[in-house]
Amino acid sequence: MTSRSTARPSGQPQAIKICQFKLVPLGESAVGKSSLVLRLIKGQFHEYQESIPGVAFLTQLVCLADATVRFEIWDTAGQERYHSLAPMYYRGAQAATVVFDITNQETFARAKTRVKDLQRQASPSIVIALAGNKADLANKRMAEYEEAQAYADDNSLLFMETSAKTAKNLNDLFLAIAKKLPK
Ligand code: GTP
Ligand code: MG
């Protein structure tokens, strides 16, 4: 955490706190983890997003009234064969987005397993946000909003339905995470 002073128009110096947090997106392959990050950071969406094995490292700033939050995002591939590597990725993470695809019920079940993994192995103070992604495909919905919301409430998770395609709730999700993190 660092602080720096800037002059306000009135001439009064104001300290801006910059807080840095590691955030890991988790969830099944093809639920849209990379697409959400790409939309958030670059404002882009690709119908045929390539799966990148390994880790992509990206940063995003979120400005709050009293602090600027800098997210260090470690985007990893969700394929089961990388699953055993997951604890290595979320070591030291202060935040996680656990993503599922609302058109695929199985990915919701897997998301719950990822939440359990985090509750067991990650930092006890980790902020977890559940994201029901592909909300633009609501006509193909297989996972119910109310069920996911109830699960999130029971487990003290943030929850939003998002779309990397339309950007729905994306800024709000990261804003909610930034607000919940201790600064
Ligand atoms: P892995 O890296 O393999 O773990 O997958 P991933 O979770 O990063 O998924 P990725 O972002 O690669 O997206 C998989 C596919 O879903 C791509 O074809 C995307 O274009 C599509 N996709 C992602 N998000 C959305 C969304 O919100 N709406 C729609 N309609 N398609 C999406
Ligand atoms: Mg990916």
Side-chain angles (χ1 to χ4, degrees):
M1 195 186 293
T2 53
S3 289
R4 65 189 158 90
S5 291
T6 55
R8 279 193 284 182
S10 64
Q12 296 253 338
Q14 182 195 23
I16 299 173
K17 210 183 334 172
I18 300 176
C19 307
Q20 193 156 293
F21 298 102
K22 175 178 172 181
L23 179 144
V24 287
L26 295 172
E28 269 303 270
S29 187
V31 294
K33 298 179 297 299
S34 300
S35 297
L36 286 170
V37 172
L38 189 71
R39 165 61 87 184
L40 179 76
I41 293 176
K42 296 198 177 149
Q44 296 173 356
F45 175 75
H46 303 300
E47 285 293 342
Y48 301 100
Q49 179 62 36
E50 269 181 64
S51 180
I52 310 157
V55 193
F57 179 80
L58 306 116
T59 61
Q60 173 71 6
L61 294 180
V62 174
C63 296
L64 303 176
D66 55 347
T68 295
V69 168
R70 182 174 183 270
F71 284 114
E72 289 189 343
I73 304 176
W74 299 45
D75 180 29
T76 62
Q79 284 173 28
E80 205 51 40
R81 64 190 157 110
Y82 297 112
H83 178 53
S84 58
L85 297 173
M88 194 180 88
Y89 295 134
Y90 54 70
R91 191 168 302 146
Q94 289 102 339
T97 51
V98 179
V99 184
F100 67 95
D101 171 352
I102 66 158
T103 71
N104 182 336
Q105 180 72 31
E106 179 63 25
T107 65
F108 178 50
R110 293 286 181 91
K112 291 191 206 170
T113 308
R114 295 293 166 272
V115 170
K116 279 207 195 83
D117 291 346
L118 288 170
Q119 288 168 338
R120 207 174 48 232
Q121 299 181 55
S123 155
S125 60
I126 192 166
V127 173
I128 306 174
L130 184 67
N133 192 39
K134 310 199 185 180
D136 56 290
L137 300 177
N139 57 333
K140 294 185 192 159
R141 171 189 293 280
M142 298 300 282
E144 289 309 321
Y145 181 92
E146 292 73 18
E147 190 187 345
Q149 181 69 68
Y151 172 76
D153 290 345
D154 286 349
N155 287 275
S156 309
L157 316 176
L158 294 165
F159 170 62
M160 282 185 203
E161 285 197 343
T162 57
S163 169
K165 189 165 181 173
T166 67
K168 180 184 173 170
N169 279 340
L170 199 47
N171 288 327
D172 286 353
L173 183 71
F174 279 79
L175 194 60
I177 298 169
K179 284 184 178 165
K180 205 173 167 184
L181 283 161
K183 282 162 299 282

